[in-house]
Amino acid sequence: MPEPNGVHPAWLPPEAFRAIGSRRTLVVGDDNRTRTVRAEVAHACARYGGALHGDRDGAHDLALVLDPEAGTGPEGFVLSRRDGVTTVVAGGPSGLLYGLFEVVRRGEAAFGADLPAETHRPALHRRMLDHWDNIDVHPVMGQVERGYAGGSIFWRDGAPRGDLARVRAYGRLLAACGVNAVAVNNVNVHATEAHLLTDRLGEVAAIAAELRPYGIRVHLSVNFASPIVLGGLETADPLDDGVRAWWARTTERVYETIPDFGGYVVKADSEGQPGPFAYGRDHADGANMLADALAPFGGVVHWRAFVYDHRQDWRDRSTDRARAAHDHFAPLDGRFRDNAIVQVKYGPIDFQVREPVSPVIAAMPDTRLAVELQVTQEYTGQQRHVCYLAPMWREVLGFRPWGPDGRAVSDVATELVAVSNVGDDPYWTGHPLAQANLYAFGRLAWAPGLDPADVLDEWISLTFPGDTGRLRRTLHEIMDGSWRTYERYTAPLGVGFMVRPGHHYGPDVDGYEYTPWGTYHFADRDGVGVDRTRATGTGFTGQYPQPWSDVYESLEECPDELLLFFHHVPYGHVLHDGTTVIQHIYDTHFAGAEEAAAMREQWEKAAGDVPPELHAKVRELLDEQVRGAREWRDQINTYFFRKSGIPDAHGRRVY
Amino acid sequence: MPEPNGVHPAWLPPEAFRAIGSRRTLVVGDDNRTRTVRAEVAHACARYGGALHGDRDGAHDLALVLDPEAGTGPEGFVLSRRDGVTTVVAGGPSGLLYGLFEVVRRGEAAFGADLPAETHRPALHRRMLDHWDNIDVHPVMGQVERGYAGGSIFWRDGAPRGDLARVRAYGRLLAACGVNAVAVNNVNVHATEAHLLTDRLGEVAAIAAELRPYGIRVHLSVNFASPIVLGGLETADPLDDGVRAWWARTTERVYETIPDFGGYVVKADSEGQPGPFAYGRDHADGANMLADALAPFGGVVHWRAFVYDHRQDWRDRSTDRARAAHDHFAPLDGRFRDNAIVQVKYGPIDFQVREPVSPVIAAMPDTRLAVELQVTQEYTGQQRHVCYLAPMWREVLGFRPWGPDGRAVSDVATELVAVSNVGDDPYWTGHPLAQANLYAFGRLAWAPGLDPADVLDEWISLTFPGDTGRLRRTLHEIMDGSWRTYERYTAPLGVGFMVRPGHHYGPDVDGYEYTPWGTYHFADRDGVGVDRTRATGTGFTGQYPQPWSDVYESLEECPDELLLFFHHVPYGHVLHDGTTVIQHIYDTHFAGAEEAAAMREQWEKAAGDVPPELHAKVRELLDEQVRGAREWRDQINTYFFRKSGIPDAHGRRVY
């Protein structure tokens, strides 16, 4: 198995395969199509003394059966145990691999009591990671845009890294948590990166070759203006015949090189990227053109709905960035091709620690939708703070836009996409504990109903196989509530975006307040928050179906944690728990910073339970988190004290 | 004369030499030492039909006489006119050249009525421009740190530009306004640039060779840690014998290559640069070590006093960055060698549009002091806004730290240094009108008593020789008051630093408020400003001698324009003119933005008076200035309205 030198094994250390490796395993099915599964088993057996064989009559403890007639679909599998034999039956190689990793996850438990047949199928069709990796080091954004885990695992300084063992190891980790698609380059497609589509396609093919054995298809972010910048045409108009022919020809060549290529990812008419607007066309025109080029080969286009006016005038309170995606896309529902997927960020703004679920998700019943999450912690601590995001994702996926009896987000979307948090860091993700976010993303995309604490348990069991239970308790103490802790010490009550402009790390309450980015809080000496009501504000609440439209509209019913997202209120406004907004700000910020300090104390308990260098690394990061949490606490508290003039009811220190 | 292709001639267009070029000029003196002067005259005569000769008996209209016995010193000259002959007598080649340029400035007037002998000598011994140019393009700061005029005229992308004609033309422009020293590289000496001292010294020598004919000596910014990073020593301790020997040897080699080398410029223990503190030594130890290495060759070290804690805690109100230079340097007075010059920024903070004069200037009677200005407009519009800085510099140089009967700053300092605003831009300075700042810097360094409006007149006459008077009036309308206009629409009442962090362009009131940089305004819902009094504040006022110490301490006597620099006052505090602070903020910001708009209107009148491309360029920049001034107005007004809740008394629009 690929184990690149000096790289942490994450959730696939050799010990995770002990249960399988010490047993006799039968693999049934076409040699070529079961190759990855057999290699995994053989490798484990070589270490732990078990055996791999292909003889149905031989005695065995585990049977892995590839059966195209199994009826599980290509990715599903049936798991059962009877008469001392655990059996996985799968309809396709990917399903068999997922079944194998399910057995890995269960460990000894997979070989205990009988198990009636359980059918496993992924809830979401495509479970995809977008890499915002650049080939060239971007002068501002670096090798990986919003990357906090070192460089790219694909490129370095303008060229492929060549370290394909690492790419293969990455594919293996992803397969073990259920991810089946990777977009290899940044959605902001710069000059060099545009060439991946044509003369640098070989670099994409090399990555695809490493990921293919793990059931992962490769996608490519493309520049909408490619016909001009690569093809020498004078237009990129999606209705122009020459342009359409160029894309068709170019796409055909892509599939000649990468037959299982996944498709294109496009950020168009967004933050300066080119798009169909320049030609008087709309997003459906643009997406459909690419969909048509991809359709003959079974490819898809992911068309991002992250479109808004990033040159807004802060003086203009009628323009509301939160409305933008819905304003642009909802009217286009029904016009997108079947292989054009509209990719919607989970919230209406931009990956904040707390946002309402995007109303676009409920507004396009006749469109295939991908919900986009951000595993890389741009706004949630940048992999210097522990922030286990699964509880947030669980809430998003479980949100029911039409009320408690309606469908959930995970029923509406067909895909879950996330920006990857992986780089060439030895721990993959910068912060060792941020591995859990990557793992949890894959698992929730497979089974959105999973309990985040259970997913964390899985990750702990796999990653730290020697644990006696103490480490598990410590990690739960630290991680289970870490998202809410992060929320507490940062921007309060859903208001968001009180971060340092540019790099987005650390607090700057007014940092974006007078900018063109559409991210305002409107704090003055009397109150704070954005009035997005229909009655007196921007009308954003009207983009939701009932009951949420009325719930968010109502000052009384609006959930506290989103209060300032939807309403501008005086500092004395009383929340549901009886405290005022200003007192809530003080209380949560003191509490959040204390919780961060408590995390650091908890971690000391883990000193003997993890490798010393991992312990030291996390301790160092927790020092920074404690410092950062205090900085947030003090800046936010001081800012609002200076504005409101209202002292903390408990007399704590506000600078 | 060097006239690089496509580069604006600035204040030395051929027409500026018409009066000389059409006359007969006698040059007397050693051929080699008068070469530059003769070349200037010959070139002018070739164009305008005059004659240059060296025969004392021939008839002539102008005599330029180099006479080592003249008693003018090397840079002075005596100008007179009698019997139809204008005569310049100078004791050295530089003086003769300055005399020639004085005649150029006077034009036809130099050949009119008789003129009794006038002796001209520079008031300040060294008139120096510091280039913050990098060899490599710095990832954040670029080719020229705080440069707003394109790239460097010396380096591009890691290598010398090779375009030495441009360097020579630069030297000529500088000589024509009296500058006699140039430091060629950034005071933040990065890895590559450190090598200019040793293996890349040839690049410095090449520049020196071009500037030498114009009486300009070249200086070099050096890294205090050079013995380590270049010499392979284990320490840079200034009292270590090995270190001292390394500097002595290295300096000797510098002088072998550049015999008239000026000396070193050092930023030490400042904003992360290395310095003597690491070895338990102080700034005098550090500066003296370098001074000792330079002394045998007549060189000097410029040791910057810009030392402060840039990792301050914003919560700590007792630490005051304004105090830092005085705290560090005043106790060292008397300990610096004669050839160690302490270089002090004009204000205690950092080149703001309004600061009090630095108290360090009055605190080191036994030390040679250079006052440092910033011609490059980092905090004054970045050469996108018209901001003629001579009126500010005039105020600084004329400030009398010991009261009206005491000496002025220009009497105390022996040198005037400024950060250059020049780059490879076709107009040299980005904004064509910013040339006037470069010109005025040289002229005020020569004669600090000059009226800024007269200096502007000189610049206009030279730069636009065809003007009938209309352009002169227009430019005075636009430029005379432009510094105060800029002050009006930006940070009010001396409070400073309400700029966007990092690039420092445009407003961000709280941008530096919660940072480690020590630049705070402490605005809350009740008031604004920094209490720097002895009675209740940081005690900074105590660093001034009387009467200023008491004037600044007193809320009643403190000049309005510095009120918020020295005092924290309520918004209702009444200024000397009877308006409140908050109303003053509104009034000045509305007025400043209107004045910017009026500048743009004025400029339309100049349409026929300047080359069309220059007119268009300035018009485009004025559009940006008008936009920028409105942005400042609205952000500042809105910020203080939100905080104070006090509406504008005149009911104007505050967003």
Side-chain angles (χ1 to χ4, degrees), chain A residues 131-133 155 183-187 189 193 196 219-222:
Chain A
H131 278 255
W132 288 356
D133 295 19
W155 290 281
V184 295
N185 65 312
N186 190 355
V187 290
V189 182
E193 292 75 10
L196 289 173
H219 297 242
L220 190 64
S221 294
V222 297

Side-chain angles (χ1 to χ4, degrees), chain A residues 362-377:
Chain A
M364 302 189 73
D366 294 322
T367 307
R368 278 176 72 183
L369 292 179
V371 171
E372 183 176 324
L373 309 174
Q374 198 181 37
V375 184
T376 193
Q377 294 171 238

Side-chain angles (χ1 to χ4, degrees), chain A residues 54-201:
Chain A
D55 175 3
R56 275 180 184 270
D57 298 327
H60 53 267
D61 312 298
L62 173 63
L64 301 170
V65 182
L66 179 65
D67 175 4
E69 309 298 314
T72 61
E75 297 193 314
F77 60 90
V78 178
L79 174 67
S80 61
R81 180 168 174 81
R82 204 176 60 187
D83 302 333
V85 178
T86 300
T87 304
V88 172
V89 181
S94 293
L96 198 64
L97 189 61
Y98 294 136
L100 170 70
F101 284 122
E102 178 65 26
V103 176
V104 170
R105 245 190 307 275
R106 297 188 183 206
E108 285 301 327
F111 301 96
D114 277 8
L115 181 72
E118 286 177 355
T119 301
H120 292 253
R121 275 199 197 88
L124 290 150
H125 173 64
R126 191 174 281 106
R127 306 165 302 280
M128 179 165 174
L129 287 166
D130 283 2
H131 278 255
W132 288 356
D133 295 19
N134 300 315
I135 298 178
D136 289 334
V137 176
H138 186 274
V140 177
M141 291 301 177
Q143 188 78 67
V144 180
E145 182 160 335
R146 309 305 177 189
Y148 313 105
S152 164
I153 57 170
F154 303 131
W155 290 281
R156 178 163 51 202
D157 278 345
R161 290 174 59 98
D163 181 9
L164 292 169
R166 179 112 198 210
V167 175
R168 183 174 279 245
Y170 183 47
R172 185 170 173 253
L173 287 172
L174 296 189
C177 64
V179 170
N180 68 354
V182 166
V184 295
N185 65 312
N186 190 355
V187 290
N188 292 313
V189 182
H190 307 296
T192 299
E193 292 75 10
H195 288 266
L196 289 173
L197 179 61
T198 52
D199 45 305
R200 298 186 73 152
L201 183 61

Side-chain angles (χ1 to χ4, degrees), chain B residues 342-650:
Chain B
V342 172
Q343 182 166 321
V344 187
K345 291 193 182 191
Y346 65 85
I349 302 285
D350 190 16
F351 298 141
Q352 299 302 289
V353 69
R354 174 72 70 177
E355 295 188 43
V357 167
S358 170
V360 176
I361 296 168
M364 302 190 73
D366 294 323
T367 306
R368 279 176 71 184
L369 291 179
V371 171
E372 183 176 325
L373 308 175
Q374 198 182 38
V375 185
T376 193
Q377 293 170 237
E378 179 178 359
Y379 295 101
T380 51
Q382 303 198 350
Q383 279 123 273
R384 295 199 245 173
H385 295 222
V386 178
C387 186
Y388 178 53
L389 291 165
M392 170 167 70
W393 299 336
R394 180 72 200 79
E395 282 191 20
V396 169
L397 292 167
F399 178 75
R400 294 179 187 276
W402 297 273
D405 301 326
R407 287 181 302 156
V409 167
S410 59
D411 303 322
V412 177
T414 61
E415 327 219 340
L416 199 64
V417 178
V419 187
S420 176
N421 65 348
V422 159
D424 71 354
D425 169 74
Y427 291 100
W428 294 93
T429 52
H431 202 306
L433 304 187
Q435 289 177 1
N437 283 329
L438 185 63
Y439 180 83
F441 164 74
R443 294 292 289 145
L444 287 176
W446 180 283
L450 286 173
D451 182 326
D454 292 342
V455 175
L456 187 60
D457 258 348
E458 291 178 11
W459 176 75
I460 295 168
S461 298
L462 289 167
T463 307
F464 303 103
D467 175 40
T468 60
R470 186 174 57 183
L471 177 61
R472 179 185 310 272
R473 286 190 298 278
T474 301
L475 287 173
H476 277 288
E477 286 277 356
I478 292 172
M479 296 173 74
D480 280 347
S482 57
W483 165 54
R484 286 184 179 275
T485 292
Y486 192 84
E487 181 184 23
R488 281 188 195 101
Y489 63 71
T490 55
L493 295 164
V495 76
F497 252 102
M498 292 177 166
V499 293
R500 284 266 146 206
H503 59 62
H504 298 164
Y505 186 75
D508 184 350
V509 180
D510 272 3
Y512 276 103
E513 189 60 12
Y514 302 93
T515 72
W517 294 95
T519 49
Y520 314 120
H521 54 66
F522 301 120
D524 61 20
R525 73 200 314 262
D526 302 314
V528 57
V530 188
D531 185 352
R532 292 192 161 107
T533 63
R534 299 187 295 279
T536 54
T538 68
F540 171 66
T541 59
Q543 292 187 342
Y544 287 87
Q546 296 298 3
W548 290 106
S549 185
D550 283 353
V551 169
Y552 292 144
E553 177 81 8
S554 159
L555 191 54
E556 290 69 40
E557 290 182 56
C558 182
D560 284 346
E561 69 269 18
L562 290 171
L563 181 69
L564 302 183
F565 194 94
F566 286 106
H567 297 275
H568 186 91
V569 300
Y571 294 115
H573 175 85
V574 177
L575 299 172
H576 291 106
D577 69 0
T579 57
T580 61
V581 164
I582 186 72
Q583 191 57 40
H584 173 90
I585 291 172
Y586 297 144
D587 289 348
T588 50
H589 284 79
F590 282 111
E594 278 168 26
E595 288 162 22
M599 282 182 188
R600 184 169 59 179
E601 278 180 41
Q602 287 286 346
W603 183 247
E604 289 310 308
K605 289 196 226 155
D609 300 334
V610 297
E613 64 280 7
L614 187 149
H615 192 266
K617 168 91 176 167
V618 172
R619 179 160 48 193
E620 188 182 301
L621 288 161
L622 282 165
D623 284 346
E624 166 58 15
Q625 182 165 8
V626 170
R627 185 207 64 75
R630 286 181 183 155
E631 186 64 29
W632 272 98
R633 174 195 70 191
D634 290 340
Q635 282 201 35
I636 298 284
N637 285 349
T638 296
Y639 179 95
F640 283 105
F641 174 65
R642 285 193 190 177
K643 276 232 154 121
S644 71
I646 302 169
D648 173 39
H650 306 301

Side-chain angles (χ1 to χ4, degrees), chain A residues 220-377:
Chain A
L220 190 64
S221 294
V222 297
N223 188 317
F224 189 79
S226 292
I228 300 171
V229 299
L230 299 173
L233 304 191
E234 291 186 353
T235 177
D237 181 351
L239 301 193
D240 180 272
D241 285 342
V243 170
R244 300 176 68 82
W246 186 88
W247 278 109
R249 206 165 52 239
T250 301
T251 305
E252 189 178 0
R253 284 202 203 105
V254 171
Y255 278 90
E256 282 167 10
T257 308
I258 311 171
D260 61 348
F261 179 71
Y264 300 138
V265 178
V266 185
K267 174 177 180 177
D269 287 318
S270 170
E271 297 182 338
Q273 294 296 312
F277 287 174
Y279 310 100
R281 315 303 181 189
D282 62 28
H283 286 284
D285 296 328
N288 289 342
M289 170 192 63
L290 295 175
D292 290 345
L294 290 156
F297 312 101
V300 297
V301 56
H302 286 84
W303 191 271
R304 295 177 87 230
F306 183 57
V307 176
Y308 68 99
D309 179 4
H310 70 291
R311 293 187 178 162
Q312 192 178 325
D313 189 334
W314 59 268
R315 300 167 188 82
D316 164 23
R317 286 214 189 187
S318 66
T319 303
D320 181 1
R321 173 168 166 179
R323 293 186 56 110
H326 189 282
D327 285 345
H328 282 291
F329 282 86
L332 302 178
D333 185 40
R335 287 204 32 228
F336 289 92
R337 301 274 191 272
D338 283 348
N339 65 329
I341 299 154
V342 173
Q343 183 165 320
V344 187
K345 290 192 182 192
Y346 66 84
I349 302 285
D350 190 16
F351 297 141
Q352 298 303 289
V353 69
R354 175 72 71 176
E355 295 188 43
V357 167
S358 170
V360 175
I361 295 168
M364 302 189 73
D366 294 322
T367 307
R368 278 176 72 183
L369 292 179
V371 171
E372 183 176 324
L373 309 174
Q374 198 181 37
V375 184
T376 193
Q377 294 171 238

